[in-house]
């Protein structure tokens, strides 16, 4: 079965750029989707099909995908961006990465 | 506005049963694939089951096959998850989610707020 690997945690200084990676074998050949989950809340879609933002998601959120890694980039990080981030692909069923906890310092 | 509202979680002993429900508003679930995704305490997301809108065909993760049954009631626009022979490892928040599909990929938007299932003796 297909596996996705994410770092357990990423820290970023306030106002700087955070990058969260999602590794998988030839993941660049797949579509990757990203979810944000704040404590006590349901996941929220922030990027779909590698680079697309749903309506209401700030332009500070962007995505890329190539080779063996997809990346979620959060520019000008806010304290409000703190939470867990999950990548997901579809492989006859949903496959999720283990999640990355983002801390804004 | 598209909304999903789960209910039915609770405390149950190992071997027991629960039925979760997810009421959808703002769209007809019969026109979409719908899923249940769970999250054990302090852990990540795990897909549990999906139900095809057009065919009504269910799929399950291996760990729940034969124990869980996904279904829907089109008259009330409600998705269900019947969970039998529950195990301690089924303890989780259970979310329902609407699929969006493009080509060979699926993603989830929106998600419900979740309902907590606790299996313990």
């Amino acid at each position: 079965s297909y596996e996705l690997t994410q770092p357990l945690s990423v820290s970023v200084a306030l106002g700087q750029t955070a990058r969260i990676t999602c590794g998988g074998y030839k993941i660049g050949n797949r579509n990757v989707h990203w979810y944000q989950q704040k404590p006590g809340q349901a996941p929220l879609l922030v990027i779909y099909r590698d680079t697309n933002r749903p309506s209401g998601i700030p332009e500070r959120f962007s995505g890329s995908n190539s080779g063996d890694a997809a990346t979620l980039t959060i520019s000008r990080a806010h304290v409000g961006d703190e939470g867990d981030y999950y990548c997901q692909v579809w492989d006859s069923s949903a496959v999720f990465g283990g999640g990355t906890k983002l801390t804004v310092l | 506005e598209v909304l999903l509202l789960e209910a039915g979680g609770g405390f149950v002993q190992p071997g027991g049963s629960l039925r979760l429900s997810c009421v959808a508003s703002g769209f007809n679930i019969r026109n979409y694939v719908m899923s249940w995704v769970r999250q054990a305490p302090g852990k990540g997301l795990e897909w549990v089951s999906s139900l095809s809108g057009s065919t009504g065909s269910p799929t399950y993760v291996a760990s729940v096959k034969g124990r869980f049954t996904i279904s829907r009631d089109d008259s009330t626009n409600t998705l269900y998850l019947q969970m039998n022979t529950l195990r301690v490892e089924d303890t989780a928040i259970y979310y329902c989610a609407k699929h969006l599909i493009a080509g060979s990929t699926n993603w989830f938007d929106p998600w419900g707020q979740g309902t907590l299932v606790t299996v313990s003796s």
Side-chain angles (χ1 to χ4, degrees), chain A residues 84-98:
Chain A
D84 296 323
Y85 289 83
Y86 295 90
C87 58
Q88 178 246 316
V89 299
W90 187 259
D91 186 44
S92 300
S93 63
V95 178
F96 292 95

Side-chain angles (χ1 to χ4, degrees), chain B residues 97-109:
Chain B
K98 171 174 164 280
H99 282 230
L100 293 171
I101 300 173
S104 61
T105 192
N106 289 232
W107 64 99
F108 304 108
D109 186 41

Side-chain angles (χ1 to χ4, degrees), chain B residues 8-19 67-68 82-91 94 116-121:
Chain B
F11 184 94
V12 63
Q13 292 188 332
S17 297
L18 278 177
R19 189 177 79 155
R67 301 188 299 122
F68 289 12
Q82 177 67 44
M83 304 186 296
N84 298 330
T85 319
L86 281 160
R87 303 169 180 168
V88 171
E89 55 265 34
D90 295 319
T91 295
Y94 284 73
L116 177 62
V117 172
T118 304
V119 185
S120 175
S121 55

